[in-house]
Amino acid sequence: MTPHSARAALDAARGVFAASDRYTAPELWHSAQGVLQGVIGRPELTGQALVTEVRQLGLINLADAHALVALAAWADRSTGLAENEAERILVREAWMALEHAIPEAPIAGFASAPAGTPPTSAPHQTWAPGGAAYGHASAQTGAPAAPPPFIGDAGDADRSVKPRRRWLWPAVGAVVLLAALGGAGTWWFTTGQPERELAEAISAYQRGSREVARTAFARLAMEHPDDARPLIYIGRITREDGDLARARTFLTNAVRLAPESAVAARELASIMLADGQPEIARRFYVRALQLDPGDRIAQGFLGCALVRLGRFDEALRWIQRAGPGEWQQCLASMPAPLGMPTPYPMSPPR
């Protein structure tokens, strides 16, 4: 298929995806599958094998592949329309993946977005716990602050998080939907198996087996949509990949599910700080410290957010309270005599 005809196929699919409130899951996947088959000239390939081939040819990235397999899996188990926010997000992410698969495809998005479907990559999303909006942050100068670290042990998964609203689950990766969904209505704490699986996923993350961990966390997020802990780790991994918009989606959902989780609030704050929104980051760091006053990471990077806001006296107090850590590098941005020297040795950049 030539680039021109491939774009024509994408344009035809655009009409279907734009009206996803009228087309069923199988119809949406049939349309997407036709585009992918045409792009690589392999009409005999279907389902996951088709997505894998497109991925291996380098036409889409791993996140795109996840989104497309998620669409195919949804079509396998449902013959209906997108009925909830998670399914609408799934449709939008699959559409973005199709756009990426077409060389030089115009980034036009849907011809008309389905009603009630929010953008998944707004650069200044300002949702706050409780539904309040903070408003747009003022533009910041300079490079975004380095994302804060994440303590990757089982304790930091925040076991205080309790199951919340079962209807809210994000559209997450490919293998999440390849796993059998039996028992999805079971509460997280009725069996020890999910806890063991979570611990194994955390262990894989600590070992550096990121894709193994991502797969495990994604499956857990799908099977236990009322638990925020897998989403926190998926958001962390996605942030490390540099995809701040998608990481923000995962972590926003985690905070909604578990507004009492200090770790979820702190991780969402780190996204905002990395995205050049220090005021919103400050508020989420404060929220994290209200929930866990002893969180040194939140203390230190609250100081960094305050540095970026020009509130240097407050920043110095928080950074000193946190003690040694990567956040001390923010002192270099402070005016003398508040900045250097510091009572603690500066940690080398990673």
Side-chain angles (χ1 to χ4, degrees):
M1 177 177 283
T2 66
H4 177 75
S5 55
R7 285 193 293 273
L10 183 69
D11 288 339
R14 179 179 285 109
V16 176
F17 276 77
S20 59
D21 55 341
R22 298 196 301 272
Y23 285 90
T24 65
E27 290 171 330
L28 288 164
W29 168 243
H30 179 76
S31 179
Q33 186 169 253
V35 174
L36 298 176
Q37 289 170 335
V39 168
I40 63 174
R42 299 285 300 277
E44 74 280 7
L45 289 180
T46 60
Q48 184 183 3
L50 173 61
V51 176
T52 298
E53 181 69 13
V54 177
R55 166 65 177 149
Q56 290 177 343
L57 291 173
L59 297 175
I60 56 176
N61 60 30
L62 184 62
D64 293 332
H66 284 181
L68 290 166
V69 174
L71 178 67
W74 177 46
D76 284 343
R77 71 176 189 275
S78 172
T79 59
L81 303 173
E83 296 179 348
N84 55 46
E85 189 60 29
E87 290 171 350
R88 287 191 286 271
I89 291 174
L90 186 155
V91 171
R92 289 187 63 83
E93 291 197 339
W95 170 253
M96 288 189 290
L98 289 177
E99 285 189 318
H100 296 163
I102 305 298
E104 300 178 1
I107 305 176
F110 290 118
S112 59
T117 303
T120 59
S121 58
H124 293 290
Q125 180 176 345
T126 55
W127 177 88
Y134 294 135
H136 292 290
S138 60
Q140 301 295 318
T141 59
F150 183 82
I151 304 300
D153 57 20
D156 201 50
D158 198 351
R159 296 189 181 277
S160 66
V161 177
K162 296 296 190 294
R164 300 285 293 184
R165 295 160 289 194
R166 303 187 59 78
W167 53 266
L168 182 57
W169 53 274
V172 293
V175 287
V176 88
L177 289 165
L178 296 177
L181 295 180
T186 303
W187 290 101
W188 180 275
F189 292 105
T190 59
T191 174
Q193 182 62 28
E195 293 295 330
R196 289 193 295 272
E197 292 175 355
L198 179 65
E200 290 170 358
I202 293 171
S203 178
Y205 175 77
Q206 291 175 322
R207 295 193 308 268
S209 301
R210 292 166 51 81
E211 290 310 313
V212 172
R214 190 200 305 269
T215 295
F217 288 131
R219 178 173 51 79
L220 287 167
M222 180 64 71
E223 292 178 352
H224 304 278
D226 51 1
D227 194 286
R229 293 173 296 176
L231 293 181
I232 292 171
Y233 277 93
I234 296 170
R236 163 61 174 169
I237 293 171
T238 306
R239 187 191 71 186
E240 291 175 340
D241 290 342
D243 191 344
L244 296 182
R246 190 168 299 202
R248 182 168 53 242
T249 297
F250 290 130
L251 289 164
T252 297
N253 284 331
V255 172
R256 284 173 174 166
L257 282 171
E260 74 279 17
S261 169
V263 176
R266 187 188 73 202
E267 283 293 298
L268 184 55
S270 73
I271 295 295
M272 298 304 181
L273 188 59
D275 199 32
Q277 301 183 60
E279 173 56 25
I280 301 175
R282 182 194 68 81
R283 298 189 184 213
F284 278 107
Y285 283 129
V286 169
R287 173 63 174 163
L289 288 170
Q290 289 171 340
L291 295 165
D292 181 7
D295 187 335
R296 291 179 58 248
I297 295 174
Q299 291 172 1
F301 281 99
L302 171 58
C304 289
L306 290 167
V307 168
R308 302 215 29 174
L309 291 168
R311 295 162 60 172
F312 300 119
D313 289 334
E314 295 174 77
L316 183 60
R317 288 196 296 271
W318 280 109
I319 291 173
Q320 289 179 329
R321 179 179 300 182
E326 293 187 21
W327 45 85
Q328 289 180 276
Q329 298 177 51
C330 299
L331 293 174
S333 301
M334 295 173 60
L338 289 176
M340 302 296 289
T342 171
Y344 303 102
M346 296 286 288
S347 57
R350 293 184 176 180

